[in-house]
Amino acid sequence: MAVDIEQLKASVTGEVDARRQQLKELSLKIHSNPELGFNEVKASDWLTHYLEENGFTVERGICELPTAFRASYGQGKPVIAIMAEYDALPGLGHACGHNLISTCAVGAGVASKPAVDRSGGSILVIGTPAEELYGGKAIMAKRKAFDNLDAAMMMHPAVYDSATTQALACQALEVEFFGKPAHAAGEPEVGINALEAMIQSFNAINSLRQHIKDKARIHGIITDGGEAANIVPAHSAGSFLVRAEDDAYLEELKQKVIGCFTGAATATGARLEYKWADICYAAMRNNLILAQLFIQNMESLGRKIKLSEPGEGFGSTDMGNVSQLVPSIHAMVAIAPKGVAPHSPQFAAAAASDAGIRGLTDAAKALAMTVVDLISNPEVVTKIQDEFRK
Ligand SMILES: [Zn+2]
Ligand SMILES: [Zn+2]
């Protein structure tokens, strides 16, 4: 008997409606208990318990990361994963709305059960810690957490609805200059000024900025600029992020940025030390067939949604690393009006608002309906993978 896709979709959206109150409470509980990357003990505990209570088999602490998890329901192919993020930001709490991401993932996973029961295949909810600061998914990708997936999806709260995300490749850089202290007035000629080396580096980077490709970004802060105004600074330090539209240009740009620091070291006589972060956030590869399915499903809920537009949100996300391995989407779902900036107190408030909960439940429904599309149609999975291999 042919699978009635529309009937299955009605049943998975009904599952989300039936759990609306539970999902809201879970989301608000995580929101009011913000935990930083790799310390998301309560959130991962609450999420995994909810999944277990709803029939999922849970493995905790996968990839040697105590707050990571993998929850699965069903067996065999296709294997469709929904990603959960649940880390907060220092000082700002859930100002990126990851409480909504994780609860949406759990809601979509549980709601997808009728599709798996009807058509087979597996639905996974993968708990991926530390998106903001440490690229948890990049680490998990290296440790093979995403091998054997047929598709991976997630939602991220935003101020617009979009089925795709433009996210840049990004790598962090720590820089130090070592100079020589001296009395800044009495004997300035014997000092080597490590702060000047840092300032020259910023100026060189600002000059470089005129001659880099569109969408590339270089930005940083000074974390040590000396001890006192009357001591020639013997040490300076800074943290930087270098971003580019693709991994190849990121490598090229990284060399140019290092040139700015070595030039400043030569000019001042200060000694340079630097270290690139072990983890690089990869650029996002959006699977357009998957994105179109998500658009149709969001539209069936009465939401206006499209593909991302130039200039819309140029952050970086570790979902990029997943998207290099598996056909993926990282959909943006509006929870606040345009003008509310992510990583602000206003966005944190939106992540606990009624509009936030509506974004969560709509996205959970659309993700679960997309699971129906994938699990009920093996040809669709093949098409998605063909696009990915191109
Ligand atoms: Zn964020
Ligand atoms: Zn985020």
Side-chain angles (χ1 to χ4, degrees):
M1 190 180 77
V3 179
D4 183 339
I5 288 185
E6 290 315 313
Q7 214 178 330
L8 260 184
K9 286 188 179 180
S11 125
V12 300
T13 59
E15 294 287 335
V16 175
D17 283 328
R19 291 179 166 78
R20 189 180 179 282
Q21 192 56 29
Q22 291 173 2
L23 296 172
K24 179 180 173 176
E25 281 167 17
L26 183 55
S27 170
L28 293 178
K29 199 158 71 165
I30 295 171
H31 187 275
S32 49
N33 289 274
E35 299 166 298
L36 297 183
F38 294 134
N39 292 296
E40 312 97 325
V41 179
K42 291 179 195 163
S44 84
D45 193 46
W46 292 329
L47 294 161
T48 50
H49 275 106
Y50 189 81
L51 287 158
E52 265 173 352
E53 281 161 16
N54 284 281
F56 277 66
T57 305
V58 176
E59 292 165 74
R60 295 178 173 83
I62 61 165
C63 299
E64 297 163 54
L65 302 175
T67 56
F69 64 85
R70 171 203 297 262
S72 62
Y73 183 85
Q75 273 181 352
K77 292 260 178 190
V79 182
I80 313 299
I82 301 175
M83 301 295 165
E85 295 174 3
Y86 31 84
D87 56 325
L89 287 160
L92 286 168
H94 275 291
C96 208
H98 293 188
N99 60 307
L100 298 173
I101 299 177
S102 50
T103 315
C104 173
V106 162
V110 171
S112 298
K113 283 166 58 183
V116 173
D117 292 340
R118 178 67 183 79
S119 307
S122 319
I123 178 81
L124 306 185
V125 178
I126 303 184
T128 64
E131 192 280 330
E132 292 287 356
L133 300 176
Y134 307 109
K137 291 185 205 62
I139 298 169
M140 293 174 75
K142 278 191 181 170
R143 297 181 186 170
K144 311 212 174 294
F146 311 120
D147 291 10
N148 307 320
L149 301 184
D150 292 298
M153 304 188 281
M154 63 175 284
M155 76 80 109
H156 197 295
V159 295
Y160 52 85
D161 282 351
S162 170
T164 54
T165 297
Q166 304 180 73
L168 302 170
C170 176
Q171 196 159 5
L173 171 66
E174 296 296 327
V175 175
E176 284 180 286
F177 285 108
F178 297 88
K180 194 175 156 202
H183 193 294
E187 273 189 316
E189 68 279 8
V190 303
I192 295 176
N193 194 322
L195 176 61
E196 288 299 334
M198 188 60 80
I199 292 169
Q200 285 206 19
S201 304
F202 271 86
N203 288 334
I205 288 168
N206 288 339
S207 299
L208 170 64
R209 213 186 304 280
Q210 299 177 66
H211 304 291
I212 63 176
K213 287 187 182 173
D214 277 359
K215 299 179 186 171
R217 302 279 189 270
I218 312 161
H219 43 102
I221 58 168
I222 297 179
T223 54
D224 180 17
E227 301 289 337
N230 61 356
I231 306 169
V232 172
H235 179 257
S236 66
S239 294
F240 297 82
L241 290 168
V242 182
R243 307 187 199 233
E245 204 175 8
D246 58 62
D247 296 357
Y249 189 59
L250 182 67
E251 282 309 309
E252 198 179 319
L253 194 55
K254 279 167 59 183
Q255 297 309 313
K256 292 184 177 181
V257 168
I258 293 304
C260 296
F261 292 107
T262 53
T266 305
T268 57
R271 184 170 57 81
L272 167 68
E273 281 187 21
Y274 66 87
K275 191 178 183 309
W276 289 103
D278 295 335
I279 288 302
C280 180
Y281 287 69
M284 183 73 204
R285 278 184 73 188
N286 297 289
N287 190 285
L288 296 180
I289 298 175
L290 202 48
Q292 288 300 348
L293 293 173
F294 186 79
I295 286 176
Q296 283 166 21
N297 291 322
M298 279 291 262
E299 282 176 348
S300 77
L301 301 169
R303 288 185 84 112
K304 270 201 163 140
I305 174 163
K306 49 179 182 46
L307 300 176
S308 47
E309 283 166 7
E312 237 169 28
F314 270 134
S316 299
T317 168
D318 61 12
M319 189 62 185
N321 300 64
V322 179
S323 77
Q324 300 289 333
L325 302 172
V326 183
S328 298
I329 54 167
H330 178 277
M332 299 301 228
V333 175
I335 64 159
K338 284 209 162 75
V340 175
H343 293 198
S344 72
Q346 293 74 23
F347 203 85
S353 69
D354 286 348
I357 303 302
R358 201 156 52 243
L360 178 177
T361 50
D362 282 351
K365 287 178 185 177
L367 287 170
M369 284 192 276
T370 308
V371 172
V372 171
D373 287 322
L374 296 172
I375 282 192
S376 314
N377 293 317
E379 324 84 75
V380 177
V381 178
T382 308
K383 275 190 199 158
I384 282 167
Q385 289 175 340
D386 289 345
E387 178 189 322
F388 179 78
R389 276 189 290 268
K390 258 188 229 156

